[in-house]
Amino acid sequence: MRSDSRLRLEVGIVLGLSLGASAVYSIVSIVARVTDTRPLAEQSAALNQSRSSREWLDLTYQFLDVFFGLFVVALALYLLWQPGRSPFRRIGLDFTRPGRDVASGLALVAVIGIPGIALYAIGRLAGWTVAVVASPLDAHWWTVPILVLAALKASLTEEVIVVGYLFTRLRELGVGPWTTIVSSALLRGTYHLYQGFGPFAGNVAMGIVFGWCYQRWGRTMPLVIAHWMLDMISFIGYPLAVGWWPELFAPPE
């Protein structure tokens, strides 16, 4: 089999095992939502919810979900590995520039976070977005650590696969930079489509910004840091947001 054909097949397999499958399920989900008798504004999507009424079993399920969810990230890195060339160095997922990476990540949090919250609020008020229940309101002693790990899993999965891995493979296949950026951004938006059309648009915009930054910096570490922080703020801060703005963040009754 020709090298290009093998790469295309490899990309299809990796996406089919991860975020490509999530995108397909998300499309089916949004079709189900818009054809439901209830409008989008009266529907909700739950993240990081309890998996069992027994606390120790819930913790076990939550931890295993994080642990095994990272194996597809390991697969993508393994496929990028070449003798004498670290996959971490290839996509800039290392600690060689900690200060610069943290500063760049914080800048991205400001650029993406504030407009993202505004877009979510507009989408909720306009009826384009479902109520996203980001975390359980009844916390255990381990809830915050698990949410931090869940945010890390999400950031590594998305930035390693949809940016680091996909950009590398598409470049090797001769795809142009802006075609790659837009394709990656559309994939990012599509697997968030189950949350409604506002999050789709917001994540496409985030994907374009992150893709442009990766093309410029050649590093996924700032993207992982920014994504991790944004998700931690969303997951851990959700109970506060419900208390402050229930009309926007509380799930419909």
Side-chain angles (χ1 to χ4, degrees):
M1 186 181 294
R2 292 177 57 246
S3 177
D4 285 2
S5 299
R6 290 178 65 90
L7 283 183
R8 292 190 188 97
L9 180 59
E10 179 194 291
V11 170
I13 291 171
V14 170
L15 293 181
L17 290 171
S18 58
L19 296 167
S22 298
V24 173
Y25 280 113
S26 194
I27 291 171
V28 174
S29 177
I30 194 64
V31 170
R33 290 186 182 281
V34 297
T35 56
D36 196 286
T37 55
R38 297 169 299 160
L40 284 178
E42 296 179 9
Q43 300 180 41
S44 63
L47 309 176
N48 306 306
Q49 293 302 290
S50 176
R51 304 281 294 276
S52 174
S53 59
R54 289 180 284 176
E55 183 180 342
W56 71 269
L57 196 55
D58 191 11
L59 170 60
T60 302
Y61 279 132
Q62 301 280 359
F63 178 78
L64 290 177
D65 182 64
V66 172
F67 179 74
F68 286 110
L70 289 173
F71 271 74
V72 72
V73 177
L75 173 63
L77 290 168
Y78 176 79
L79 292 170
L80 291 176
W81 174 64
Q82 295 175 338
R85 194 175 184 191
S86 164
F88 298 95
R89 296 295 296 272
R90 285 190 75 182
I91 64 172
L93 187 67
D94 54 34
F95 299 101
T96 57
R97 305 177 186 176
R100 188 180 303 177
D101 287 342
V102 170
S104 300
L106 289 173
L108 286 172
V109 169
V111 169
I112 298 296
I114 297 173
I117 293 173
L119 184 60
Y120 176 81
I122 292 171
R124 289 289 294 141
L125 294 172
W128 306 331
T129 302
V130 305
V132 179
V133 183
S135 63
L137 297 176
D138 51 335
H140 301 294
W141 65 265
W142 46 263
T143 298
V144 170
I146 284 293
L147 290 176
V148 169
L149 290 176
L152 179 60
K153 184 195 77 169
S155 62
L156 285 171
T157 301
E158 295 190 40
E159 307 315 327
V160 170
I161 294 175
V162 178
V163 180
Y165 170 80
L166 191 59
F167 276 53
T168 300
R169 288 301 189 236
L170 291 182
R171 182 170 60 247
E172 292 170 344
L173 288 168
V175 179
W178 274 106
T179 300
T180 299
I181 290 172
V182 172
S183 299
S184 173
L186 287 173
L187 174 59
R188 188 188 296 263
T190 302
Y191 58 73
H192 286 95
L193 191 56
Y194 70 95
Q195 299 175 2
F197 298 105
F200 168 80
N203 278 279
V204 169
M206 175 179 173
I208 291 173
V209 172
F210 275 29
W212 181 84
C213 289
Y214 182 71
Q215 288 283 7
R216 185 177 178 86
W217 302 334
R219 296 187 59 76
T220 56
M221 184 60 84
L223 313 184
V224 170
I225 291 171
H227 194 145
W228 190 15
M229 294 184 67
L230 287 168
D231 278 5
M232 282 193 292
I233 293 169
S234 299
F235 295 169
I236 299 171
Y238 175 74
L240 291 176
V242 170
W244 292 340
W245 302 289
E247 66 279 3
L248 295 178
F249 293 99
E253 298 181 356

